[in-house]
Amino acid sequence: MSSAYRAETVDSEGLASAAGASAPAEVPRPSLTGGKSREREVMIRAIFTVVGFSSVIIMALIVLFLFREGVGLFATVSLSDFLFGQFWYPTYDPADFGILPLIMGSVAVTFISSAIAVPLGLGAALYLAEVASSKVREVVKPAVELLASLPSVVLGFVGMVLIAPLMQQLLDIPTGLNVLNASLMLALMAIPTITSIAEDALHSVPNDLKEASLALGATRWETLTRVQIPGAISGMGTGVILGMSRAMGETMVVLMVAGGAAMIPGSIFDSARPLPATIAAEMGETPVGSEHYFALFAIGIVLFFITLAFNLVAAYISRRFQQRGAATL
Amino acid sequence: MNQKMKKIITVEELDFFYEDFQALTGINMEVESNRVTALIGPSGCGKSTFLRLLNRMNDLIPGTRVQGKVLLDDIDLYDPQVDPVDVRRRVGMVFQKPNPFPKSIYNNVAYGPRLHGKLDRGRLDRIVEESIRAAALWDEVKDILHQSALGLSGGQQQRLCIARAIAMQPEILLMDEPTSALDPIATARIEELIKELKKNYTVIIVTHNMQQAARVSDQTAFFYMGRLVEMGPTEEIFTRPKKDQTEQYITGRFG
């Protein structure tokens, strides 16, 4: 074994000196057996593995914690009473832990904000990708993306101080802190997500295909609807779902603007108390280990599953349409 | 005989600008119907720009300007009343890189005819089959018409793009270096096809490959520095060019 190694070493030196005559001398020849690069390679790999897995592990621990704290509720309250109960009176005696009004509050603000944000967000994406001149795009696209970086508390503030009194006066309703106001603010948060992702998707449809369509005598509109949108549909769908999931999970805006009434909203001018707002509002004044405390964690579990579902749908859309898109769009 | 020499395109004093840069200067050209015309010249000489002017594809580039006339059947393509969409339905184009849509083979070819409006299935089937046959691709794809066009080889994709252009039944087919991304065997098949196509279409082809121009074309136009230096029957251009620049280029002394 050792003699074989020695033979190899000799060989490599022999090659090195033979080549040395013609090759520039500055580059040192690595010996074939004594290099340190292997060790370094192994170390770098280990570091990246640890970094990569740490976020997975932390995520898993948080979920575990959420479940451990949340399932305690179901010792005293049945799952169906929790999910479908009409009344959320956590501090009454006896208390009611029905979160249907909270779920309906979340659903209401999510869908109404989507109804506002999806057309506006996709419309803005189409405008930026197709209509706007490059100068306009250079200004508008960063501006739209900047909207995403607005702290949600600022939007909540705007809704509370600016929109709510205005709405109350103009529409002559008891309160401006309602589903519509919250939906408007959430829409403002969702639009940049939708626009940015959808515009990237439209932009990444190869220019070749656009030219091919136009060269066949298609109008710009036909090219947009038959080539560019089908090519970008997965990205546009992903943007919409992520925008909606952002509205569903957003806490500060709904806490400040939705009004906080734990009842099923009957109109867009009713107040509502969406799931995240409930947790944020009540967690501070709940004794650790009480039924109410467990119930808030159980709400967290529900929210976790809802946003998980949104993300799974987004992943499904982006994969399914990409694969089938190749053949059948 | 007279029919054969019919002019289909007449270009008069054509200038073209990108912003302030003049890419083409004073081009005059007549293109004969049912012939293959090759545009040759070194990179950046304006031949591709010129080709794209013939179906108004340069309209898509902001900051461009055209002066002069391009007459198709005595109508100026750059007349303000002319709709570029209509121009492109009569003047088809095949690009350098095969660019099939990410759709099925059938839907690629049916794309153009469907723009015209609703066609019944039987008629559409017939157009698709005839177009693919005309592009010498039928035997290879007849059993997989509803599979993705992206599964085809590069050469097949390019013939599919030709079929797609033919399906619009254009009068003129523009080809911008259609074989530069293909291997020699696929190139040979496309060249065969081009010779076949001139029975029904007028073909104008930009090529970097002078052997290709010599093999497939009837007329050759040599571009240099944004000007049309010389144009004539291919045989004459390659054996007895009138201008020194042409001779230097085709003998490989520059370019």
Side-chain angles (χ1 to χ4, degrees):
Chain A
M1 201 57 200
S2 68
S3 73
Y5 268 103
R6 193 169 307 134
E8 221 178 293
T9 325
V10 169
D11 216 339
S12 76
E13 279 168 359
L15 273 172
S17 61
S22 57
E26 291 91 60
V27 184
R29 301 227 160 223
S31 95
L32 292 175
T33 50
K36 284 188 187 146
S37 51
R38 266 266 294 288
E39 287 165 31
R40 231 179 46 207
E41 203 80 359
V42 168
M43 226 170 70
I44 289 170
R45 245 179 97 140
I47 291 170
F48 277 103
T49 308
V50 170
V51 171
F53 271 95
S54 60
S55 59
V56 174
I57 290 165
I58 292 168
M59 171 72 198
L61 288 176
I62 290 174
V63 172
L64 197 73
F65 172 72
L66 187 65
F67 275 83
R68 208 194 58 180
E69 299 295 294
V71 290
L73 179 74
F74 301 111
T76 50
V77 180
S78 81
L79 183 63
S80 71
D81 282 349
F82 176 66
L83 287 178
F84 303 115
Q86 301 263 355
F87 304 103
W88 176 257
Y89 296 132
T91 51
Y92 279 29
D93 192 22
D96 272 312
F97 294 107
I99 63 166
L100 191 65
L102 315 182
I103 293 178
M104 292 316 286
S106 273
V107 167
V109 294
T110 301
F111 278 91
I112 294 167
S113 66
S114 304
I116 301 165
V118 170
L120 285 177
L122 293 183
L126 289 171
Y127 169 76
L128 285 175
E130 274 314 300
V131 184
S133 69
S134 57
K135 275 181 198 157
V136 173
R137 186 184 8 239
E138 271 166 36
V139 176
V140 175
K141 190 160 191 219
V144 169
E145 280 164 0
L146 209 64
L147 197 60
S149 62
L150 267 185
S152 56
V153 67
V154 172
L155 277 175
F157 210 59
V158 169
M160 211 171 180
V161 177
L162 201 70
I163 309 288
L166 204 68
M167 212 181 253
Q168 199 175 358
Q169 279 169 15
L170 284 179
L171 302 172
D172 192 25
I173 46 176
T175 174
L177 299 176
N178 55 29
V179 170
L180 181 63
N181 192 345
S183 299
L184 282 171
M185 293 301 113
L186 288 177
L188 279 181
M189 297 192 65
I191 284 171
T193 308
I194 296 173
T195 300
S196 183
I197 297 175
E199 205 268 344
D200 285 345
L202 280 166
H203 214 75
S204 67
V205 175
N207 202 38
D208 285 5
L209 297 183
K210 185 177 157 188
E211 283 205 325
S213 171
L214 291 169
L216 287 167
T219 61
R220 281 178 73 174
W221 173 249
E222 287 164 338
T223 302
L224 192 63
T225 54
R226 294 173 195 222
V227 172
Q228 291 170 283
I229 292 177
I233 195 76
S234 70
M236 294 171 80
T238 307
V240 166
I241 299 292
L242 291 181
M244 286 175 78
S245 105
R246 192 156 181 215
M248 175 63 91
E250 166 55 29
T251 307
M252 193 46 83
V253 164
V254 289
L255 179 64
M256 293 171 78
V257 183
M263 54 179 200
I264 296 174
S267 99
I268 56 172
F269 301 118
D270 284 350
S271 291
R273 191 181 187 84
L275 297 163
T278 310
I279 300 177
E282 298 173 18
M283 190 54 98
E285 49 206 58
T286 308
V288 174
S290 68
E291 225 180 4
H292 188 190
Y293 173 89
F294 290 140
L296 293 181
F297 272 95
I299 291 175
I301 297 174
V302 172
L303 256 181
F304 169 76
F305 277 118
I306 292 172
T307 45
L308 182 70
F310 272 110
N311 281 290
L312 288 178
V313 170
Y316 174 76
I317 289 176
S318 74
R319 230 192 348 214
R320 175 192 165 99
F321 281 93
Q322 247 154 33
Q323 281 177 351
R324 286 187 63 230
T328 57
L329 283 175
Chain B
M1 199 63 207
N2 202 19
Q3 182 70 17
K4 268 197 147 182
M5 296 299 287
K6 195 187 135 210
K7 307 274 183 284
I8 187 160
I9 289 182
T10 307
V11 178
E12 290 174 2
E13 289 301 324
L14 188 73
D15 296 331
F16 181 74
F17 302 84
Y18 290 106
E19 309 281 354
D20 293 332
F21 172 71
Q22 183 160 10
L24 291 172
T25 310
I27 309 284
N28 288 289
M29 187 188 282
E30 288 183 333
V31 178
E32 290 169 6
S33 166
N34 293 84
R35 295 295 184 102
V36 177
T37 302
L39 311 180
I40 63 170
S43 298
C45 68
K47 57 194 188 302
S48 285
T49 302
F50 177 74
L51 191 78
R52 291 167 62 94
L53 280 170
L54 301 180
N55 69 341
R56 295 194 57 170
M57 285 302 278
N58 284 336
D59 288 19
L60 306 172
I61 305 166
T64 58
R65 193 154 51 84
V66 180
Q67 286 169 1
K69 283 182 178 170
V70 179
L71 301 171
L72 172 64
D73 290 347
D74 297 326
I75 294 166
D76 182 7
L77 300 186
Y78 286 89
D79 187 291
Q81 298 202 319
V82 170
D83 183 348
V85 168
D86 294 330
V87 172
R88 295 181 198 130
R89 288 185 183 195
R90 291 178 61 182
V91 185
M93 188 161 201
V94 176
F95 296 83
Q96 186 168 358
K97 216 177 100 208
N99 57 355
F101 298 122
K103 300 172 190 277
S104 70
I105 293 167
Y106 184 97
N107 285 337
N108 260 278
V109 182
Y111 185 88
R114 279 181 179 143
L115 296 173
H116 278 314
K118 280 241 175 291
L119 288 172
D120 65 76
R121 187 78 196 185
R123 194 148 155 240
L124 196 59
D125 284 350
R126 213 161 52 241
I127 293 173
V128 169
E129 178 173 344
E130 280 167 11
S131 306
I132 298 178
R133 276 188 194 283
L137 188 62
W138 181 251
D139 290 336
E140 290 156 71
V141 302
K142 61 173 189 265
D143 298 322
I144 53 167
L145 286 177
H146 296 284
Q147 291 180 19
S148 170
L150 301 182
L152 299 175
S153 72
Q156 289 173 326
Q157 287 187 7
Q158 193 61 303
R159 276 179 283 147
L160 181 66
C161 291
I162 293 172
R164 185 174 66 183
I166 289 173
M168 293 298 290
Q169 287 150 7
E171 292 147 72
I172 299 164
L173 210 48
L174 308 177
M175 297 187 168
D176 190 358
E177 299 189 44
T179 63
S180 65
L182 304 180
D183 66 58
I185 294 168
T187 299
R189 298 202 64 164
I190 303 266
E191 288 182 4
E192 279 308 305
L193 177 57
I194 291 169
K195 288 184 209 166
E196 206 47 42
L197 287 173
K198 72 175 174 183
K199 287 177 190 160
N200 296 309
Y201 306 93
T202 302
V203 178
I204 305 175
I205 178 172
V206 164
T207 177
H208 255 298
N209 177 333
M210 277 177 286
Q211 285 78 29
Q212 181 168 70
R215 281 192 299 264
V216 303
S217 72
D218 305 300
Q219 297 275 318
T220 295
F222 172 61
F223 282 74
Y224 185 58
M225 305 270 282
R227 291 172 194 273
L228 175 61
V229 175
E230 186 173 357
M231 181 172 180
T234 298
E235 214 186 301
E236 274 179 35
I237 295 284
F238 279 92
T239 54
R240 307 182 289 279
K242 293 191 179 72
K243 302 274 172 63
D244 282 350
Q245 277 173 333
T246 315
E247 188 179 355
Q248 285 176 10
Y249 181 70
I250 60 170
T251 53
R253 259 175 279 168
F254 80 99

